[in-house]
């Protein structure tokens, strides 16, 4: 199980994490956007597979950005820390938003208040998911993120 997790985590964050560690060593507090030559080959997978998890914590579909409920037609899933910093979809970084509120296009690094809300959401989300889905890889990843403060580590590393 531990070995499985280690491989999973490596796959999840291999690009970004190595870059962050390097940037800490050579240029602290400078967030370099990763230049990946084969970036176009990194396919974005559909985020719909995360709906069943997000619904557990947010069944009313409250927009993470504006706090208002979202109609089904306008429901979008957003990466709080921009996708281009992680090159990966992670439950601990995904929230419901209005399509019109969607921040991922702007690639802005979120404010600390937003990061804090995401951390709190992740704690609550894991507490709701852990019993029903203890062997689920996505939930295991959420647990790992919570225990290792991944949201905050990535966020700090992206402060320019
Ligand atoms: Zn909104």
């Amino acid at each position: 199980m531990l070995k499985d997790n280690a491989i999973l985590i490596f796959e999840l964050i291999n690009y970004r994490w190595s870059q962050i560690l390097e940037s800490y060593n050579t240029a602290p507090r400078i967030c370099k956007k990763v230049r990946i030559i084969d970036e176009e080959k990194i396919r974005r997978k559909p985020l719909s597979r995360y709906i069943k998890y997000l619904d557990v914590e947010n069944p009313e579909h409250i927009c993470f950005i504006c706090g208002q409920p979202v109609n089904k037609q306008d429901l979008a899933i957003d990466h709080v820390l921009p996708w281009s910093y992680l090159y990966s979809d992670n439950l601990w970084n995904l929230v419901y938003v209005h399509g019109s509120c969607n921040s991922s296009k702007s690639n802005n690094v979120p404010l600390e208040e937003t990061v804090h809300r995401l951390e709190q959401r992740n704690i609550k989300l894991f507490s709701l998911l852990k019993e029903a889905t203890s062997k689920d890889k996505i939930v295991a990843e959420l647990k790992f993120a919570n225990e290792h403060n991944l949201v905050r580590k990535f966020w700090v590393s992206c402060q320019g």
Side-chain angles (χ1 to χ4, degrees):
M1 186 62 186
L2 270 178
K3 196 181 171 191
D4 287 348
N5 276 349
I7 292 166
L8 167 70
I9 296 306
F10 178 76
E11 286 174 352
L12 287 170
I13 60 180
N14 58 353
Y15 280 113
R16 193 56 197 148
W17 195 241
S18 60
Q19 287 291 325
I20 286 167
L21 293 177
E22 282 173 24
S23 71
Y24 271 127
N25 289 337
T26 59
R29 300 190 67 78
I30 295 172
C31 183
K32 289 181 227 160
K33 257 178 107 171
V34 190
R35 285 179 165 235
I36 300 175
I37 291 165
D38 60 351
E39 184 172 341
E40 287 172 15
K41 289 180 188 165
I42 303 173
R43 298 256 158 83
R44 292 201 186 206
K45 291 177 189 162
L47 295 176
S48 52
R49 63 196 171 116
Y50 294 97
I51 287 173
K52 68 174 176 178
Y53 303 99
L54 296 173
D55 270 357
V56 169
E57 191 272 333
N58 188 3
E60 309 292 319
H61 298 166
I62 304 299
C63 174
F64 191 78
I65 294 173
C66 75
Q68 299 299 311
V70 189
N71 292 331
K72 275 219 161 139
Q73 301 93 310
D74 197 28
L75 188 65
I77 296 176
D78 190 28
H79 299 78
V80 178
L81 298 170
W83 190 86
S84 58
Y85 288 115
L86 291 164
Y87 290 101
S88 144
D89 302 318
N90 311 93
L91 178 60
W92 49 269
N93 192 37
L94 295 173
V95 294
Y96 282 137
V97 294
H98 291 98
S100 52
C101 284
N102 195 329
S103 64
S104 61
K105 289 168 199 138
S106 65
N107 280 337
N108 287 334
V109 177
L111 300 172
E112 180 168 19
E113 182 269 335
T114 305
V115 167
H116 181 71
R117 283 197 295 122
L118 180 61
E119 290 173 327
Q120 297 304 305
R121 190 292 303 261
N122 285 343
I123 290 167
K124 187 180 169 198
L125 179 57
F126 180 67
S127 75
L128 293 169
L129 287 171
K130 63 181 177 187
E131 287 179 21
T133 50
S134 60
K135 295 197 174 163
D136 184 300
K137 279 192 175 182
I138 288 175
V139 177
E141 172 199 324
L142 173 66
K143 181 171 189 262
F144 183 94
N146 288 353
E147 290 174 350
H148 294 81
N149 293 315
L150 286 194
V151 167
R152 192 152 294 254
K153 281 176 182 166
F154 279 113
W155 177 69
V156 167
S157 78
C158 288
Q159 300 304 301

